[in-house]
Amino acid sequence: MTASSAAKSTSSNTGTIRGDEKYTNTSFSDDSDGGDGPLPPLPPARFAFGSRTWKEVAHLLLNLPEALLGFTYVSVWLYAGVLTSVTVIGLPLLALGLTGARALGRVERRRARALLGLHIEEPSPLSRQRRRHGFLPWMWTALKDPVAWRTTLYGFIRLPWGVLTFALTLCLLFVGWPFLGFAARGMTNLDRAMTRGLLGPSSELERRIAELEQDRGVVVDTAAADLRRIERDLHDGAQARLVALAMGLGLAKEKVLEDPEAAARMVDEAHGEVKLALQELRDLARGIHPAVLTDRGLDAALSSVAARCTVPVSVSVDLDERPAPAIEGIAYFTVSELLQNVSKHSRARTAEVELWRKGRRLLIQVRDDGRGGASTASGSGLAGLAERLGSVDGLFAVESPAGGPTVITAELPWRDRSAG
């Protein structure tokens, strides 16, 4: 019985071992694709951090050389300017140093934009003060410039911060890899706050001044373009017709005694030319400022524009009083140009124009059931219209999906007619 039991035990153990071997072989067979083919290729090696984190690391490593350059520059001109401020060259030296500090801030804003994704508006420039009013007013403006003084402060405090961020980032890069991403994000968030607080425009008023300066340039360009258009229309239209009329009347004068019948025909032709010239001048005057707008206001003027549109247009003007003439003219030409676009491009069956006042804003909405696809992309007529409205603190919004309908909304600031 003992031998038999041993044999059974051996057989059982053998079976167990074979069973384990079978399971092990099956496992290897699964991992190696049946045991007959090569192992599958490994996935490509990748960095643990994304591009955003690597840009932040690069920004932190660049903090030290940038801080050294900025601190050296600020220290040199500030100390030299303060020590020589009792002399003639002291204040001009300070003004020039502050102007250079502005350039330093511009470089830093670009670095933050490229590596941190931080977009800060540029402060308004001061260089035009020298051209318009001379050196002394420019120097006084530069000495009072809050943007340059804040950039100077930025240059001073960046040196210890640059040393700290450079050393910590370098250490984590080699010995603290798992914590590098979290530390980089935290340090760059402080960098963002420092850059936004010290290198941005002085205040909302500063940003508003910059916007108005840009809008003034748009107004000047628009006025120059309108003058060129009027000059071209006069030269190519009415002026050419009047020259031909003068020549025709001169020939008729010579023919009066020799051939009265030919002279009469030439006078008739000249009469027709006079009518056409008058019509062209009338159209040109309407393009500058229509008489119906001056006499009867937006309701009658827009109804006249809608009557000339190739698409049936319904006009609704809900105004208790007339706005200032400048705002009234801009509203008229805005609707006129939008209805011209409806006639030329929309393939619409009907259109609607609505004007109403809401608080201190004049709202304009033009709808059509055309094919849609209107856009304010660069180069389009709507882009120029948006720039013109923006130049007077207006707004312009286009909603025009493919297939239509198109809804264009414009807002203009309301000014009372008495104030206008």
Side-chain angles (χ1 to χ4, degrees), residues 15-38:
T16 302
I17 294 172
R18 288 176 179 173
D20 291 340
E21 290 177 351
K22 183 177 180 181
Y23 175 78
T24 305
N25 289 339
T26 303
S27 299
F28 280 115
S29 175
D30 290 340
D31 289 341
S32 60
D33 197 14
D36 298 330

Side-chain angles (χ1 to χ4, degrees), residues 299-313:
D299 196 353
L302 294 181
S303 298
S304 176
V305 172
R308 296 195 299 268
C309 185
T310 59
V311 175
V313 180

Side-chain angles (χ1 to χ4, degrees), residues 95-373:
L96 290 174
L98 288 169
T99 304
R102 269 183 166 257
L104 179 65
R106 190 179 307 115
V107 173
E108 276 301 290
R109 283 188 292 271
R110 291 177 180 175
R111 186 167 75 101
R113 188 180 303 115
L115 297 179
L116 299 183
L118 179 64
H119 295 273
I120 301 176
E121 296 179 9
E122 294 291 332
S124 58
L126 299 176
S127 58
R128 63 184 178 279
Q129 297 291 339
R130 178 188 297 179
R131 296 195 302 267
R132 293 186 178 181
H133 305 293
F135 179 73
L136 290 179
W138 167 82
M139 182 183 69
W140 182 244
T141 304
L143 290 175
K144 297 189 302 179
D145 182 18
V147 175
W149 283 112
R150 283 189 283 107
T151 307
T152 302
L153 176 62
Y154 180 86
F156 272 113
I157 66 177
R158 289 292 292 181
L159 183 59
W161 176 251
V163 173
L164 175 64
T165 55
F166 178 84
L168 186 57
T169 303
L170 200 61
C171 291
L172 292 175
L173 193 61
F174 289 102
V175 299
W177 184 271
F179 307 102
L180 178 60
F182 301 100
R185 180 58 51 83
M187 288 186 289
T188 52
N189 281 340
L190 291 177
D191 258 334
R192 290 183 179 93
M194 192 183 307
T195 305
R196 188 184 296 110
L198 294 178
L199 299 184
S202 299
S203 61
E204 185 65 29
L205 178 61
E206 175 78 17
R207 287 189 288 270
R208 183 60 179 158
I209 291 173
E211 291 176 0
L212 292 176
E213 288 172 349
Q214 182 179 1
D215 293 343
R216 181 181 60 185
V218 174
V219 171
V220 171
D221 294 340
T222 301
D226 289 339
L227 287 176
R228 289 193 298 269
R229 176 183 60 82
I230 294 170
E231 180 183 4
R232 184 178 61 251
D233 292 343
L234 285 172
H235 182 273
D236 297 340
Q239 181 179 348
R241 195 171 296 280
L242 290 174
V243 169
L245 172 62
M247 294 177 61
L249 289 175
L251 293 175
K253 182 179 178 181
E254 294 178 358
K255 295 278 187 182
V256 170
L257 299 178
E258 298 177 3
D259 190 354
E261 295 182 359
R265 288 195 301 270
M266 296 175 72
V267 169
D268 288 338
E269 293 177 359
H271 185 257
E273 290 291 328
V274 169
K275 290 182 178 180
L276 292 176
L278 288 174
Q279 181 62 38
E280 289 184 358
L281 289 173
R282 192 178 297 112
D283 293 339
L284 181 60
R286 185 184 296 114
I288 298 172
H289 195 82
V292 65
L293 178 62
T294 304
D295 297 336
R296 301 173 58 189
L298 281 170
D299 196 353
L302 294 181
S303 298
S304 176
V305 172
R308 296 195 299 268
C309 185
T310 59
V311 175
V313 180
S314 62
V315 178
S316 173
V317 178
D318 185 12
L319 298 176
D320 296 333
E321 57 180 325
R322 294 175 62 178
I327 300 300
E328 199 173 52
I330 294 173
Y332 171 82
F333 287 110
T334 298
V335 176
S336 178
E337 187 165 343
L338 291 176
L339 290 182
Q340 287 182 14
N341 289 339
V342 171
S343 298
K344 294 178 181 178
H345 309 295
S346 69
R347 299 180 184 176
R349 294 184 299 273
T350 59
E352 299 178 8
V353 176
E354 293 185 16
L355 273 83
W356 70 98
R357 178 183 177 181
K358 185 176 181 181
R360 301 300 299 174
R361 307 290 286 182
L362 175 63
L363 283 82
I364 305 168
Q365 195 167 77
V366 178
R367 303 187 191 90
D368 69 74
D369 57 357
R371 60 180 180 176

Side-chain angles (χ1 to χ4, degrees), residues 334 338 361 363-367 374-376 382-383 385-387 389-390 394-400 406-412:
T334 298
L338 291 176
R361 307 290 286 182
L363 283 82
I364 305 168
Q365 195 167 77
V366 178
R367 303 187 191 90
S375 172
T376 56
L382 293 180
L385 197 56
E387 289 182 357
L389 290 176
L395 298 176
F396 190 78
V398 177
E399 183 181 353
S400 181
T406 297
V407 180
I408 298 178
T409 305
E411 288 188 19
L412 290 169

